Amino acid sequence: MPLFRLHRMKETPRQQFRWAPHTSGVTAIKPRDFEPAGELQAAGFYDAWMNLRGTEGALEIGDVLESEAGEIRICKYVGFEEARWVLPEVKSGLESAPLAAGSPVMQSAGLG
């Protein structure tokens, strides 16, 4: 039986998510808005929801299930919809540094 990782949405982002208008398509989610909450075995996403329903660990709006294959679904009022992690852009600190004379960029601009 497949294994799913459960990610619980933190309370502040959950309130914003609950009151936001429903959008169709892939939902962009940020890792910082979630906390890992263990793993569970289930035949599928809806089976996992059914297994947790009525328990202290029931899925709430905004919670995420991630399959072993990396497929991510977020719990919404209408069911489970596709989601993708949005990772923050890594900055090197060199973005504002001046270009070196003789660099390919400078040469192509006719400046090097």
Side-chain angles (χ1 to χ4, degrees):
M1 192 173 294
L3 189 66
F4 291 88
R5 285 185 293 279
L6 175 57
H7 305 274
R8 298 274 182 194
M9 187 176 270
K10 294 178 182 176
E11 200 52 40
T12 301
R14 184 184 311 276
Q15 292 308 314
Q16 294 169 351
F17 184 77
R18 288 178 65 94
W19 297 108
H22 175 73
T23 57
S24 59
V26 178
T27 302
I29 55 177
K30 299 174 186 171
R32 71 172 185 219
D33 292 339
F34 294 84
E35 296 175 339
E39 298 178 335
L40 68 142
Q41 288 188 321
F45 292 99
Y46 286 96
D47 187 47
W49 176 79
M50 285 294 295
N51 291 343
L52 293 174
R53 193 175 85 171
T55 70
E56 191 175 295
L59 292 174
E60 297 181 37
I61 302 302
D63 288 342
V64 168
L65 288 173
E66 183 177 1
S67 73
E68 290 175 299
E71 187 178 4
I72 302 169
R73 296 285 185 263
I74 189 164
C75 184
K76 291 187 171 185
Y77 290 109
V78 296
F80 286 99
E81 292 194 353
E82 187 177 358
R84 285 208 174 61
W85 296 115
V86 176
L87 301 176
E89 185 178 320
V90 178
K91 297 196 178 205
S92 66
L94 300 176
E95 291 81 13
S96 60
L99 294 174
S103 73
V105 173
M106 295 288 285
Q107 290 174 356
S108 67
L111 301 173

